[in-house]
Every structure is written in structure tokens, then in C-alpha cells.
Amino acid sequence: METKEQSNISLQKEDAPAALSESRGIDHTKLPLLHFAGPILIENVLRVALSGADVFMLSFYSEEAVAATGLVGQLVFLLTLLYMVVTSGASILISQYIGARNGKAARASAQGSIVLSVIFAVVLSTLMCVLAERIVGFYKLDPNVHKFAMQYMIIFSAGSIFMALSMILGTILRSYGYSREPMIVNIIAMVISVIGNYIFIFGPFGIPVLGVPGVAFSTVFSQAVACVILMIMLKKRRDISLPIKGLLKVPKAVYRKILSVGVPTAGENLSYNLGQIIIMRMVSSLGTEAMAATVYALTILRFVHISSISIGIATQIKVGYFVGAGLAGIAKKKVYRYFAAGFVISLALVIFANLLQVPILRLFTQNADVLELVFGILLVALLLEPGRNFNVIIIPALKGAGDVKFPVYMGIVFMWGIGVLFAYIFGIKLGWGLMGIWFALSLDEWIRGFVMMGRWHGEKWKTKALVG
């Protein structure tokens, strides 16, 4: 039986025409995957390209700066994952409600997610600033690397509220089928960021060279600009009516539902990233050259797996539409096709990256020891990257269907029981170094991936829908 609080966010049968008009009369289940994956891929490619440009520019400043920003980049990603507690829950709920033509509940979920994002941002940004010294001190860093890491972390954390808001506003637009708008806004933000980086690193026209603090400032400013533009875009969409007064009247049941979905959904990513932080500490113990090599390798490999990640994000939205509309059978068949496409694309890209690694890496460094380490990492990536597809496509499919707890449990077991444990055994204990660490990561992706594929094939996710 439906509770009183659940009835506050439900849509009665007689309200169905209103829900249809709010969704522009579009059957969202008919939207092709490319409608979402295309803009997301373009956005991610440009983001990775500009991230590579940041590394390229910082390499002229110092390799210590490269190592520091690479390290803090993982901490920044951790902060992003914490904000995804809200965005993940909102995306799944909104897409399922839209698939079910439940416009009122979709709107309430969007409003509640904005309020939660602001609360999360205030609390987490404060904690990151206060605990910055302890967090950075956890790593074994050279003095200059430690200084640069502290500078970047404090500045970025203090302004991360803009990132939190731009993330949730972009999520709402995508969930309603507007996939191009967030892409355009993020492209603008990224261009602003890279221009600011150039100014503060190279100091044209006599502008003071601020180095790492300047890079952090330009990143925060670009997110603030993105936040403002996304607010304007949302206001112009009549089918996404989110009045400010409504933000203060969201039923408590909405917040609970967002968190009940978002906490375990983001938990899987959070567990993975915490494991990566521990592994990065192992890498840092191998020296600055190993740290720099890891940053360079990750810069290249991001171009490989962004295609699969983009397909995964689009898959989650599409599965939400299908499940909300009661079309689980179609969702199952579609996901197999999405996975096959991602697997073939990533395999081709990692082979291509290995063939072109020499001219690419020469742009970043001439250090022979660093180059040799990167070459080894890219060879191991021939195994790692195809296996990554199981987790970046099948897991979002499970989440989109409402099966959010299983990936968390398995992520904790395999990431820590295989990824972290064997990274220590192979890389540190047996002395295999970076190659051992990356091989352990490959084992984690493949073994965990087969378990996730088994879960999808077993169809237990069909009983996890969040809407009736």
C-alpha cells in the first residue's frame, strides 16, 4: 500500500496527459543511444583533450607540478564522486519517472536534487579545505610536489560548489532528453579553463606567472561560468519547470528516495576511487618518475576509455526510460549491443594508442626513464581497457534499472580484494613496480566485469524498478 509521503510525489492516472505535455510529447524510449552518447562523447573528448593540454603546459612549468596536479586530480575526482551521490540518484529517478510519464515526480526529484547538491557542496568543500594538510600528507611526496598539491587542493575545494551545481543542472537537462546543452556549456567552460591556464603558466603580456594556483583559479572560474549558463538554459525550458518556491516545498520522501538510490550508486564509484588513491600512494612510493609516468599514461588512456564511459552514461539513461515504461525485455537486448560496441571501439583505440605512443609522449617529456615506464603501462593497457567495458557499461545499466546495491558490494570485494591487494603484492612485495600494479588493475576489471555481466544476464535487476 502506498504511504502518505509516497503519494505526495506520485502522479494519478488522470494527470497522465499533463505529464506527456511536460515531456514535449516525446516517447523517450524511442530516442537513439547516439542522441545521448554523441554529445557526451564530444564533451568528454574535449575535456580529456584540454586536460592533456593542461598537463602539456604544466610540463613546461615543472614535472613536480605535473605529479602534484595528477595526484590532486584523483582527490578532485573523489570529491566529484561524492557529489554524484545526488546526481546519480537524480538521473536514475528522473529518467524512470519520465519513462513512466510521471511528470510531477520527475519535477520533484529535480528540485530536491538541487537542494541536496547545495548542502553537499557546502559541507564537503569545507571539510576538504580543513583537512587538506592531512590528506596531502598521507602521500610520500617531495617538498615541491607537496606544496603544489596543497595549493591546488585548497583553491579547487573552496570553489567546488560551482562544480556541484553545474553537475546537477547538467544531469537534469540530460535526463529530460536535452543532451546537447550540457555539452555546449561544458565546452565553453573548458575553453575558458585552458585559456586561463595558458595565461597563468606562461604569463603573456607581462601577466605574473602563478603556476599551479593560477591553474586552480581558472578551473574554478570556468565552473562558475558554466553554472550561470546552465541556470539560464533550464529557465528557458518550459517542460522543466523548477520554480524557486518549489525548492522549499519538496516532500521529505523525495530526499530519502534520491539518497536511497544515490548513496549506493555513487558508493561503487567511491569504493573504486578510494582504492585508486591507495594504489597511487603505492605509485608515489616508487618515486616522482613513476608518478609522472602514471599521469602521462592516464592522459593518453583517457582518450581510449571515454568512448565506453560515454556509452555507459547514455546506457543508464536509456535503461531508466525502458524500465520506467515497463520494457525490460527490450532493455536487456539493447544493453548487449551497447556493450559490444564499446568493447570493439576501446580495443581499436588502445591498439592505436600503442602504435602512436612515441610521437605523442615526446610532446610531454624527453626523460628516457619516464618514457620507458609509460611504454610498459600502455602494453598492459591492451588487456585492461577492453575489460573495463564490462564495468563502465554493464554497471550503469544495472543502476539505470534500479539495481544499485549489487554493484557496490561487488565493487568493494573485487576492487579491494583483487585490485588493491594484488597491486601491493605484484607491484611492491614482488618488486614488479608499475607493471605489477597495472596488471592487478586489469585482473580486477575482467573478473569483476564477468560477475556484472552474469548479473545482467540473470535478470534479477528486473525486480528492482523504482517506479510502479
Side-chain angles (χ1 to χ4, degrees), residues 86-129:
V86 179
T87 60
S88 298
S91 176
I92 294 170
L93 281 172
I94 294 171
S95 61
Q96 285 199 16
Y97 281 131
I98 289 176
R101 304 294 176 88
N102 193 333
K104 289 184 179 179
R107 185 190 309 115
S109 298
Q111 291 173 318
S113 65
I114 293 174
V115 175
L116 282 176
S117 290
V118 173
I119 295 173
F120 267 57
V122 172
V123 174
L124 292 175
S125 62
T126 302
L127 284 175
M128 290 291 281
C129 289

Coordinates of all heavy atoms in Angstrom, one line a residue, residues 86-129:
V86 N 24.2 12.6 -5.3 CA 23.0 13.3 -5.6 C 22.7 13.2 -7.1 O 21.6 12.8 -7.5 CB 23.0 14.8 -5.3 CG1 21.7 15.5 -5.7 CG2 23.3 15.0 -3.8
T87 N 23.7 13.4 -8.0 CA 23.4 13.4 -9.4 C 23.0 12.0 -9.9 O 22.2 11.9 -10.8 CB 24.6 13.9 -10.2 OG1 25.8 13.1 -9.9 CG2 25.0 15.3 -9.8
S88 N 23.6 11.0 -9.3 CA 23.3 9.6 -9.8 C 21.9 9.3 -9.4 O 21.1 8.7 -10.2 CB 24.3 8.6 -9.1 OG 25.6 8.8 -9.5
G89 N 21.5 9.6 -8.1 CA 20.2 9.3 -7.7 C 19.1 10.1 -8.5 O 18.1 9.5 -8.9
A90 N 19.4 11.3 -8.8 CA 18.5 12.2 -9.6 C 18.4 11.6 -11.0 O 17.3 11.6 -11.5 CB 19.0 13.6 -9.6
S91 N 19.5 11.3 -11.6 CA 19.4 10.8 -13.0 C 18.6 9.6 -13.1 O 17.7 9.5 -14.0 CB 20.8 10.5 -13.5 OG 20.8 10.0 -14.8
I92 N 18.8 8.6 -12.3 CA 18.0 7.3 -12.3 C 16.5 7.6 -12.1 O 15.7 7.1 -12.8 CB 18.6 6.3 -11.4 CG1 20.0 5.9 -11.8 CG2 17.7 5.1 -11.3 CD1 20.8 5.1 -10.7
L93 N 16.2 8.3 -11.0 CA 14.8 8.6 -10.7 C 14.1 9.4 -11.8 O 13.0 9.0 -12.2 CB 14.7 9.3 -9.4 CG 14.9 8.5 -8.1 CD1 15.0 9.4 -6.9 CD2 13.8 7.5 -7.9
I94 N 14.7 10.5 -12.2 CA 14.1 11.3 -13.2 C 13.8 10.5 -14.5 O 12.8 10.6 -15.1 CB 14.9 12.6 -13.5 CG1 15.0 13.5 -12.3 CG2 14.3 13.4 -14.7 CD1 15.9 14.6 -12.4
S95 N 14.8 9.8 -15.0 CA 14.7 9.0 -16.2 C 13.6 7.9 -16.1 O 12.8 7.7 -17.0 CB 16.0 8.4 -16.7 OG 16.5 7.5 -15.7
Q96 N 13.5 7.3 -14.9 CA 12.5 6.3 -14.8 C 11.1 6.9 -14.7 O 10.1 6.4 -15.3 CB 12.7 5.4 -13.5 CG 13.8 4.4 -13.7 CD 13.8 3.3 -12.7 OE1 12.8 3.0 -12.0 NE2 14.9 2.5 -12.6
Y97 N 11.0 8.0 -14.0 CA 9.7 8.7 -13.9 C 9.3 9.3 -15.3 O 8.1 9.2 -15.6 CB 9.8 9.9 -12.9 CG 9.7 9.5 -11.5 CD1 10.6 9.9 -10.5 CD2 8.7 8.6 -11.1 CE1 10.5 9.5 -9.2 CE2 8.5 8.2 -9.7 CZ 9.5 8.7 -8.8 OH 9.4 8.3 -7.5
I98 N 10.2 9.7 -16.1 CA 9.9 10.2 -17.4 C 9.4 9.1 -18.3 O 8.5 9.2 -19.1 CB 11.1 11.0 -18.1 CG1 11.3 12.3 -17.4 CG2 10.8 11.2 -19.6 CD1 12.5 13.1 -17.8
G99 N 10.1 7.9 -18.2 CA 9.7 6.7 -18.9 C 8.3 6.3 -18.5 O 7.5 5.8 -19.4
A100 N 7.9 6.5 -17.3 CA 6.6 6.1 -16.8 C 5.6 7.3 -17.0 O 4.4 7.1 -16.5 CB 6.7 5.8 -15.3
R101 N 6.0 8.3 -17.6 CA 5.1 9.5 -17.9 C 4.6 10.1 -16.6 O 3.5 10.6 -16.5 CB 3.9 9.1 -18.7 CG 4.3 8.5 -20.1 CD 5.0 9.5 -21.0 NE 5.4 8.9 -22.2 CZ 4.7 8.8 -23.4 NH1 3.4 9.2 -23.3 NH2 5.1 8.2 -24.4
N102 N 5.5 10.1 -15.6 CA 5.2 10.7 -14.3 C 5.9 12.0 -14.1 O 6.9 12.1 -13.5 CB 5.6 9.7 -13.1 CG 5.0 10.1 -11.8 OD1 4.7 11.2 -11.5 ND2 4.9 9.1 -10.9
G103 N 5.3 13.1 -14.7 CA 6.0 14.4 -14.8 C 6.1 15.1 -13.4 O 7.1 15.7 -13.1
K104 N 5.1 14.9 -12.5 CA 5.2 15.6 -11.2 C 6.3 15.0 -10.4 O 7.1 15.8 -9.7 CB 3.8 15.4 -10.5 CG 2.7 16.2 -11.1 CD 1.5 16.1 -10.3 CE 0.3 16.9 -10.8 NZ -0.9 16.8 -10.1
A105 N 6.5 13.7 -10.4 CA 7.5 13.1 -9.6 C 8.9 13.4 -10.1 O 9.9 13.6 -9.4 CB 7.3 11.6 -9.5
A106 N 9.0 13.5 -11.5 CA 10.2 13.9 -12.1 C 10.7 15.3 -11.7 O 11.8 15.5 -11.4 CB 10.1 13.8 -13.6
R107 N 9.7 16.2 -11.7 CA 10.0 17.6 -11.3 C 10.4 17.6 -9.8 O 11.3 18.4 -9.5 CB 8.7 18.4 -11.5 CG 9.0 19.9 -11.3 CD 7.7 20.8 -11.3 NE 6.9 20.5 -12.4 CZ 5.7 20.0 -12.4 NH1 5.2 19.6 -11.2 NH2 5.0 19.8 -13.5
A108 N 9.7 16.9 -9.0 CA 10.0 17.0 -7.5 C 11.4 16.4 -7.3 O 12.2 16.9 -6.5 CB 9.0 16.2 -6.8
S109 N 11.8 15.4 -8.1 CA 13.1 14.8 -7.9 C 14.2 15.8 -8.4 O 15.2 15.9 -7.7 CB 13.2 13.5 -8.8 OG 12.3 12.5 -8.3
A110 N 13.9 16.5 -9.4 CA 14.9 17.5 -9.9 C 15.1 18.6 -8.9 O 16.2 19.0 -8.6 CB 14.4 18.1 -11.2
Q111 N 14.0 19.1 -8.3 CA 14.0 20.2 -7.3 C 14.8 19.7 -6.1 O 15.6 20.4 -5.5 CB 12.6 20.7 -7.0 CG 11.9 21.4 -8.1 CD 10.5 21.7 -7.8 OE1 9.8 20.9 -7.2 NE2 10.0 22.9 -8.1
G112 N 14.5 18.5 -5.6 CA 15.1 18.0 -4.4 C 16.6 17.8 -4.6 O 17.4 18.0 -3.7
S113 N 17.0 17.4 -5.8 CA 18.4 17.2 -6.1 C 19.2 18.4 -6.1 O 20.4 18.4 -5.7 CB 18.6 16.5 -7.5 OG 18.1 17.3 -8.5
I114 N 18.6 19.5 -6.5 CA 19.3 20.8 -6.5 C 19.6 21.2 -5.0 O 20.7 21.7 -4.7 CB 18.5 21.9 -7.2 CG1 18.4 21.6 -8.7 CG2 19.1 23.3 -6.9 CD1 17.5 22.6 -9.4
V115 N 18.6 21.1 -4.1 CA 18.7 21.4 -2.7 C 19.8 20.6 -2.1 O 20.7 21.1 -1.4 CB 17.4 21.3 -2.0 CG1 17.6 21.5 -0.5 CG2 16.3 22.2 -2.5
L116 N 19.8 19.3 -2.4 CA 20.8 18.4 -1.8 C 22.2 18.7 -2.3 O 23.2 18.6 -1.5 CB 20.4 16.9 -2.1 CG 19.3 16.3 -1.3 CD1 19.0 14.9 -1.8 CD2 19.7 16.2 0.2
S117 N 22.3 19.1 -3.6 CA 23.6 19.4 -4.1 C 24.2 20.6 -3.4 O 25.4 20.6 -3.1 CB 23.5 19.7 -5.6 OG 23.2 18.5 -6.3
V118 N 23.4 21.6 -3.1 CA 23.9 22.8 -2.4 C 24.4 22.4 -1.0 O 25.5 22.8 -0.5 CB 22.9 23.9 -2.3 CG1 23.3 25.0 -1.4 CG2 22.5 24.4 -3.7
I119 N 23.6 21.6 -0.3 CA 24.0 21.1 1.1 C 25.3 20.3 1.0 O 26.2 20.6 1.8 CB 22.9 20.3 1.7 CG1 21.6 21.2 1.9 CG2 23.3 19.7 3.0 CD1 20.4 20.4 2.3
F120 N 25.4 19.4 0.1 CA 26.6 18.6 0.0 C 27.8 19.4 -0.3 O 28.9 19.2 0.2 CB 26.4 17.6 -1.2 CG 25.9 16.2 -0.7 CD1 24.7 16.1 0.0 CD2 26.6 15.1 -1.0 CE1 24.2 14.9 0.4 CE2 26.1 13.8 -0.6 CZ 24.9 13.8 0.1
A121 N 27.7 20.4 -1.2 CA 28.8 21.2 -1.6 C 29.3 22.1 -0.4 O 30.5 22.2 -0.3 CB 28.4 22.2 -2.8
V122 N 28.4 22.7 0.3 CA 28.9 23.5 1.5 C 29.6 22.6 2.5 O 30.7 23.0 3.0 CB 27.7 24.1 2.1 CG1 28.1 24.8 3.4 CG2 27.0 25.2 1.2
V123 N 29.1 21.5 2.8 CA 29.7 20.6 3.8 C 31.0 20.0 3.3 O 32.1 20.1 4.0 CB 28.8 19.4 4.2 CG1 29.5 18.4 5.1 CG2 27.5 20.0 4.9
L124 N 31.0 19.5 2.1 CA 32.2 18.8 1.6 C 33.4 19.7 1.3 O 34.6 19.4 1.5 CB 31.9 17.9 0.4 CG 31.0 16.7 0.6 CD1 30.6 16.1 -0.7 CD2 31.7 15.8 1.6
S125 N 33.1 20.9 0.7 CA 34.1 21.9 0.4 C 34.8 22.4 1.6 O 36.0 22.5 1.7 CB 33.6 23.0 -0.4 OG 32.6 23.7 0.3
T126 N 34.0 22.6 2.7 CA 34.6 23.0 4.0 C 35.5 21.9 4.6 O 36.6 22.2 5.0 CB 33.5 23.3 5.0 OG1 32.6 24.3 4.5 CG2 34.0 23.8 6.3
L127 N 35.0 20.7 4.5 CA 35.9 19.6 5.0 C 37.2 19.4 4.3 O 38.2 19.2 4.9 CB 35.1 18.3 5.0 CG 34.0 18.1 6.1 CD1 33.2 16.8 5.8 CD2 34.6 18.0 7.5
M128 N 37.1 19.5 2.9 CA 38.3 19.3 2.1 C 39.3 20.4 2.4 O 40.5 20.1 2.4 CB 37.9 19.3 0.6 CG 37.1 18.1 0.2 SD 38.1 16.6 0.2 CE 39.0 16.8 -1.3
C129 N 38.9 21.6 2.6 CA 39.8 22.7 3.0 C 40.4 22.5 4.3 O 41.6 22.7 4.5 CB 39.1 24.1 2.9 SG 38.6 24.6 1.2

